[in-house]
């Protein structure tokens, strides 16, 4: 099995500051790693090294049609990632995508090569960077499958900026990601798509879903459905309760965040 874990889950938010307030109300500690006045994302860090990213994919205040037209012109430069970004613009708010981390990070090149050898159609590495609040430049790279519905892969950040205790402590007791539940049409076809990434799946007795067990106690569940959707995030909590966090009305279609005791 390839050594991978869920790195982070992306949740689209057209009004980022409003969404941040909602997540704080639900008991999460939300952190900005760039200037909050200009930031397009905010982060919810967990003790297992994973995080949720609340993000507004629009780089500028412009009509979606104009941004999509520009992205279509740019698509030949990086087809995999720009197709993914077009998906972000077109998507409704809520769970939009997720990324995989390499475990351990220094095995990234070996694991990536192994997946390609197994038949995964993954793009060339794309170098990324951002300027942190202290002026430091942080770099990393990503690589993306041709199908934007499959997760993208991400290297470790350099330099690594460790979270402090306050950033990792959530009033709702959240500790980390337990699993993602992804609804897919044509379950067997999707199992074939995922096999080069994760290897073999464990099927349920009724054949209506299967599970991939990853590193860090993470798992991906594919569930037979009529249409594709990343429908649920399950988090571990230190609190002795099991609950579902209600999301905004526009985050419909069964999308939810569930908490279960660790």
């Amino acid at each position: 099995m390839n050594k991978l874990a869920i790195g982070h889950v992306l949740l689209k938010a057209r009004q980022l500051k409003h969404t941040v307030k909602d997540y704080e109300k639900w008991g999460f500690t939300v952190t900005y790693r760039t200037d909050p006045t200009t930031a397009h994302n905010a982060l919810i860090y967990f003790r297992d090294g994973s995080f949720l990213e609340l993000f507004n994919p629009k780089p500028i205040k412009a009509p979606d049609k104009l941004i999509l037209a520009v992205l279509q012109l740019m698509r030949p430069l990086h087809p995999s990632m720009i197709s993914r970004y077009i998906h972000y613009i077109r998507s409704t708010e809520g769970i939009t995508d997720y990324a995989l981390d390499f475990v351990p990070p220094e095995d990234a090149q070996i694991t990536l090569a192994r997946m390609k050898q197994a038949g995964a159609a993954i793009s060339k590495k794309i170098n990324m960077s951002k300027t942190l609040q202290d002026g430091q430049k942080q770099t990393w790279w990503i690589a993306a499958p041709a199908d934007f519905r499959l997760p993208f892969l991400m290297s470790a950040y350099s330099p690594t900026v460790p979270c402090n205790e306050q950033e990792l402590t959530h009033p709702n007791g959240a500790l980390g990601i337990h699993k993602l539940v992804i609804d897919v049409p044509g379950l067997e076809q999707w199992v074939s798509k995922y096999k080069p990434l994760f290897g073999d799946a464990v099927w349920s007795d009724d054949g209506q879903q299967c599970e991939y067990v990853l590193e860090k106690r993470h798992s991906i569940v594919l569930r037979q459905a009529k249409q594709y959707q990343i429908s649920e995030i399950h988090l571990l909590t230190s609190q002795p309760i099991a609950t579902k966090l209600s999301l905004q009305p526009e985050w419909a279609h069964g999308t939810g965040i569930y908490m279960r005791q660790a």
Side-chain angles (χ1 to χ4, degrees), residues 131-142:
T131 302
L132 302 176
Q133 289 196 63
D134 61 2
Q136 215 179 170
K137 183 178 180 181
Q138 190 176 57
T139 63
W140 70 98
W141 57 260
I142 58 177

Side-chain angles (χ1 to χ4, degrees), residues 187-212:
L187 184 55
E188 289 189 7
Q189 179 186 5
W190 276 90
V191 168
S192 297
K193 288 174 179 284
Y194 267 86
K195 186 169 184 177
L197 302 180
F198 298 143
D200 294 326
V202 178
W203 287 78
S204 62
D205 291 339
D206 61 7
Q208 292 301 297
Q209 69 178 40
C210 63
E211 182 176 15
Y212 297 93

Side-chain angles (χ1 to χ4, degrees), residues 68 128 136 175-176 178 182 234 238 247:
L68 288 170
M128 309 287 288
Q136 215 179 170
L175 299 171
H178 173 50
I182 305 173
H234 292 242
S238 58
L247 302 179

Side-chain angles (χ1 to χ4, degrees), residues 142-158:
I142 58 177
D147 188 333
F148 63 78
R149 295 168 296 181
L150 292 172
F152 64 95
L153 300 128
M154 198 168 95
S155 73
Y157 291 112
S158 178

Side-chain angles (χ1 to χ4, degrees), residues 111-124:
T111 300
L112 186 60
R114 186 183 298 136
M115 286 188 287
K116 290 182 177 181
Q117 196 170 34
I122 300 175
S123 71
K124 295 180 180 179

Side-chain angles (χ1 to χ4, degrees), residues 26-85:
W26 295 329
F28 291 104
T29 299
V30 185
T31 302
Y32 289 99
R33 279 285 167 90
T34 56
D35 184 348
T37 61
T38 58
H40 287 276
N41 70 344
L43 309 166
I44 299 171
Y45 290 109
F46 300 122
R47 294 186 182 276
D48 66 352
S50 66
F51 61 94
L52 304 181
E53 178 180 353
L54 312 176
F55 80 112
N56 181 348
K58 294 180 67 171
I60 57 173
K61 290 183 179 180
D64 285 1
K65 286 185 177 179
L66 176 59
I67 294 174
L68 288 170
V70 173
L71 289 171
Q72 292 286 8
L73 292 174
M74 294 172 60
R75 196 201 292 259
L77 297 176
H78 294 291
S80 298
M81 278 310 300
I82 292 180
S83 294
R84 191 172 295 264
Y85 208 86

